[in-house]
Amino acid sequence: MASGLWATRAASYLKISVPCRGFATVLKDLKYADSHEWVKVEGKSATIGITDHAQDHLGEVVYVELPDEGSKVEQGASFGAVESVKATSDINSPVSGKVVSVNKKLSDSPGLVNSSPYEDGWIIKVELENDGELHCLMDPDGYTEFCDEEDAKH
């Protein structure tokens, strides 16, 4: 029990939310889509990836289909796919904008999506078109609750 308390304190210090079931990490400074993508906005730049919850359900990621730099993404629309040993799943953009960077490391190391979904495993960066779209997304607490409800159905 003491180690769980230590982990919770460490997570609190690192600004990480630790859900009761203790497996999926939800970061505090991100916004979340109900299709399990996250977005981190810094000015007009938005970094997008799939959540820890999503990668956990997918299993080992073996391939990530990336869009071209310069292409346009629309909120809620698919821009690529993640293929795992279990299934292939579309990646939907939580915001609209122009793709300014793709994570080329994922071509050689798709497993980064599993091992580091919020850092090394990011998928694309876009130039944010409309920051008003962020109001349609969930905050960390809302996303954690959403995942709990979804998991309870299965």
Side-chain angles (χ1 to χ4, degrees):
M1 184 68 180
S3 65
L5 183 59
W6 176 86
T8 302
R9 282 190 183 140
S12 167
Y13 175 74
L14 295 170
K15 297 183 180 170
I16 298 170
S17 170
V18 180
C20 296
R21 66 185 176 280
F23 71 85
T25 302
V26 177
L27 298 190
K28 295 264 185 218
D29 58 346
L30 306 178
K31 291 282 195 175
Y32 298 88
D34 61 6
S35 51
H36 302 288
E37 292 82 17
W38 59 264
V39 60
K40 180 177 187 172
V41 177
E42 297 168 293
K44 282 287 182 192
S45 174
T47 304
I48 297 167
I50 67 167
T51 66
D52 188 35
H53 182 84
Q55 73 77 23
D56 184 67
H57 280 265
L58 279 169
E60 182 186 345
V61 173
V62 294
Y63 178 74
V64 181
E65 178 188 317
L66 300 167
D68 294 325
E69 287 183 11
S71 62
K72 196 159 170 24
V73 294
E74 296 289 331
Q75 185 177 46
S78 172
F79 68 78
V82 176
E83 189 177 319
S84 75
V85 292
K86 292 182 187 176
T88 298
S89 183
D90 282 344
I91 310 167
N92 299 317
S93 186
V95 295
S96 301
K98 184 174 96 174
V99 178
V100 293
S101 181
V102 298
N103 189 348
K104 292 181 174 38
K105 288 182 190 172
L106 297 178
S107 298
D108 295 327
S109 304
L112 289 172
V113 170
N114 296 116
S115 62
S116 184
Y118 299 114
E119 286 152 7
D120 298 332
W122 62 273
I123 297 171
I124 62 172
K125 294 184 182 189
V126 303
E127 185 180 310
L128 193 59
E129 199 172 87
N130 176 3
D131 57 10
E133 289 179 337
L134 298 171
H135 299 296
C136 302
L137 303 173
M138 290 177 267
D139 65 14
D141 292 337
Y143 181 67
T144 299
E145 190 175 307
F146 174 78
C147 291
D148 288 343
E149 288 171 7
E150 194 176 72
D151 287 349
K153 292 176 188 172
H154 296 291

